[in-house]
Amino acid sequence: MKKLISIQKVEDAHRNIKDFAKVTPLLFSEAFENKQGFKLILKAENLQTTNSFKIRGSSNCIINKVKATPEIKGVVTASSGNHGQAVAYVAYKLGLPAMIVMPETAPRAKINAVSGWKAKIELCGTTSGERLVRMQQIAKEEGYFVVPPYDHYDIIAGQGTIGKEILEQLPDVDVVLVPVGGGGLISGISYYIKNANPKVKVIGVEPEKSNSMYVSLEKGAITRLDKTRSIADGLLSLEPGSLTFPIVKEYVDEVITVSENEISEAVGKCIKYYKTVPEPSGAVSVAGALKGDWGAGKKVVPVVSGGNFDMSSLSAFIEA
Ligand SMILES: *Cc1c(COP(=O)(O)O)cnc(C)c1O
């Protein structure tokens, strides 16, 4: 059987995405280190193109599709958040039409961020179920390619390029922590890191009230939650993906959960010590890192997955 994910595929992805995604920096803080003992080093995907890692998976997925089927007419996805922005940006760069299906309740700022890249927006209902139906309809009527947010091997390979970069930038890293929504980000990263250097620990982090990966791992099978709630609005998926779950099960050391308070505090710490602004979803990994007892000198790298955020609400996260 053809391997659906491999080190080679992640390396191919890294070449595919180089005109779209930056190699994001690692951010260090000596002041923080002196206080805590261990070294907390941020992988700053909040500084990525369109301000989240989503550009990696979506550019890899769309480029592979265009290579295989040059005649595709456009791309479509359903997302009010970072994935929608990333797909809109990649389509804009490639000169492809894009349609992004968003909820009727989507905030102005998110609509503007997508329409800034010339994508067409269709507002549809309030539930993700309604939007997925509409997305499939558009795909059929217009002949557009559906770019899924996480459950696709090209998306997973694209997100895995973060694992490759961390090992190149910090070969003696001890622990990598990753926010978990549908699980695409952590699947790619854990697959790459565990195959390249199994000594590195990979830990997933979820909000307490949006913990579908945690629950699914405990039950040993994909488990759907009735509802999810968190300020980390990029992590509200009701269940893990069918492709991501088996990868997480095999390669991730552990999934832990953090409280809403811990997430807010982590946002504040990133601003105070690193002078960088994560969105709450992006700081969930930092919150996980702050809970751990890692030992002196250990190199702990939370992936700060995004920075798209209503800046007028920032002061609420900052304590003197
Ligand atoms: C999408 C997203 C996540 C979660 O990624 P998954 O691949 O769905 O697990 C985490 N953080 C941010 C900022 C996101 O946009």
Side-chain angles (χ1 to χ4, degrees):
M1 199 185 82
K2 207 170 109 205
K3 265 211 145 181
L4 300 167
I5 176 89
S6 62
I7 288 277
Q8 187 61 49
K9 289 210 165 176
V10 178
E11 281 168 2
D12 292 345
H14 215 203
R15 270 188 298 277
N16 275 342
I17 70 174
K18 71 177 189 319
D19 294 335
F20 299 85
K22 301 172 198 167
V23 175
T24 51
L26 296 180
L27 306 181
F28 296 75
S29 166
E30 254 182 69
F32 181 86
E33 230 175 81
N34 283 339
K35 216 163 155 262
Q36 294 283 339
F38 67 91
K39 295 181 198 295
L40 184 79
I41 303 158
L42 313 183
K43 176 63 171 165
E45 287 293 302
N46 57 323
L47 306 180
Q48 186 52 270
T49 314
T50 68
N51 298 102
S52 87
F53 73 91
K54 290 285 199 316
I55 194 80
R56 296 177 184 259
S58 36
S59 57
N60 187 49
C61 191
I62 294 171
I63 285 167
N64 280 340
K65 183 65 187 179
V66 171
K67 277 186 190 161
T69 321
E71 64 277 14
I72 68 163
K73 298 210 176 80
V75 294
V76 59
T77 197
S79 161
S80 58
N82 292 335
H83 179 62
Q85 262 193 67
V87 169
Y89 175 84
V90 175
Y92 170 76
K93 283 284 183 184
L94 292 173
L96 278 173
M99 177 78 91
I100 314 293
V101 184
M102 298 174 90
E104 279 161 4
T105 51
R108 235 319 108 196
K110 295 201 170 182
I111 294 176
N112 290 345
V114 168
S115 59
W117 301 116
K118 311 283 185 243
K120 288 213 187 89
I121 292 166
E122 185 167 309
L123 299 178
C124 169
T126 53
T127 66
S128 61
E130 290 168 278
R131 290 196 294 284
L132 291 178
V133 169
R134 183 61 195 135
M135 175 186 79
Q136 292 299 350
Q137 240 174 13
I138 293 168
K140 214 165 153 207
E141 286 168 12
E142 306 286 337
Y144 281 11
F145 171 57
V146 172
V147 190
Y150 49 83
D151 221 18
H152 188 295
Y153 286 116
D154 288 340
I155 299 279
I156 295 170
Q159 322 305 27
T161 58
I162 295 173
K164 177 170 178 281
E165 285 177 19
I166 292 173
L167 293 185
E168 284 166 3
Q169 291 169 309
L170 194 73
D172 58 347
V173 55
D174 293 294
V175 186
V176 175
L177 294 108
V178 186
V180 180
L185 178 61
I186 195 166
S187 294
I189 292 176
S190 64
Y191 180 87
Y192 188 89
I193 288 185
K194 285 297 184 181
N195 281 284
N197 182 356
K199 285 196 302 248
V200 180
K201 266 197 163 191
V202 180
I203 296 175
V205 191
E206 288 185 316
E208 278 169 1
K209 293 198 170 69
S210 187
N211 62 345
S212 65
M213 189 66 82
Y214 180 89
V215 171
S216 298
L217 286 172
E218 205 159 62
K219 303 216 159 147
I222 292 175
T223 305
R224 191 177 173 84
L225 304 178
D226 292 332
K227 61 176 174 19
T228 50
R229 194 166 59 79
S230 177
I231 50 166
D233 59 0
L235 310 180
L236 297 178
S237 42
L238 296 172
E239 62 186 346
S242 59
L243 305 181
T244 61
F245 180 67
I247 299 177
V248 171
K249 207 171 145 196
E250 182 165 359
Y251 295 105
V252 173
D253 290 287
E254 192 186 358
V255 172
I256 62 174
T257 60
V258 292
S259 71
E260 296 296 288
N261 253 338
E262 288 166 336
I263 298 170
S264 297
E265 274 179 34
V267 171
K269 289 263 189 325
C270 290
I271 297 169
K272 181 171 177 185
Y273 290 104
Y274 297 81
K275 307 300 173 202
T276 198
V277 182
E279 59 183 272
S281 302
V284 162
S285 52
V286 178
L290 293 172
K291 278 181 96 160
D293 182 9
W294 309 109
K298 289 286 185 216
K299 295 183 175 163
V300 179
V301 179
V303 176
V304 176
S305 49
N308 286 313
F309 197 25
D310 175 5
M311 295 293 167
S312 66
S313 64
L314 262 191
S315 61
F317 294 92
I318 302 169
E319 279 177 44

